[in-house]
Amino acid sequence: MTANIKERQDLPQIKEVDAILALTKGSPINISYALLKTLESAHSEDQPALLRYIAEHFGLIETSDEIPIDVFITSDELSALKTQYSKVVDSMFDMILQDRPSAVNFYSALNSMIVHNSVFTDEKSRAFAMYWILIDRRIPYFELGQGLKLANEEWQAISRKLTLEKQKARFILASDFSQKSEEADLLLKELDSKEDQERVYLLGFILHLLRDAANRSVSQS
């Protein structure tokens, strides 16, 4: 990753991307269209590096709203594009991710998918693909090492052993605190009291509780 930072910063389109992210006022889909046009203006061999820069900065820069951006895609058109292309984009994106590629290979494949894919035949469909990828929680992409893998029998054995610890973690998450730091510190102390496989299991249990609560919140909204 370090070897590519200077290359990305040296691309002539970087300043244009920064301006779009920091100065423009508009909907995410139309900002994505402006970013797509900038990406397409770059030399083909520079596009993956530029796309990586866009992915790593999209949504992080607070805009001053100085320059209203043209409405290239209306809200009704966005709804229609979502109906037509969202599952297609998700499927293609999942295929790129499934083998955990290097960052270089990932952004090269992602650029080909968005910019050079015959499925997206016009600017609006390509802009939607760009938008749908940029708002995905798996963007920006990170190379992950191999995590600890436990056989189901080992996982179940640890689960039985840590019954009390699981109950305490659930209690902490269900309690009210004046500051989030207190809750985080108490959970961290529970994790630090364990080692290796038991720590991994307990963290996995906490993540399960948080995801379950998030899913219930979404279903009730």
Side-chain angles (χ1 to χ4, degrees), residues 40 84-85 88 92 109-123 125-126 129:
E40 291 179 334
Q84 184 174 0
Y85 290 109
V88 175
M92 292 179 176
L110 190 64
N111 182 72
S112 295
M113 173 193 141
I114 295 172
V115 180
H116 307 290
N117 196 315
S118 60
V119 172
F120 309 118
T121 58
D122 56 30
E123 289 184 327
S125 61
R126 292 196 297 277

Side-chain angles (χ1 to χ4, degrees), residues 25-33 69-71 73-75 78 131:
K25 177 181 181 180
S27 63
I29 181 64
N30 286 298
I31 290 173
S32 297
Y33 171 71
I69 203 164
D70 292 336
V71 179
I73 297 176
T74 66
S75 58
L78 175 58
Y131 159 79

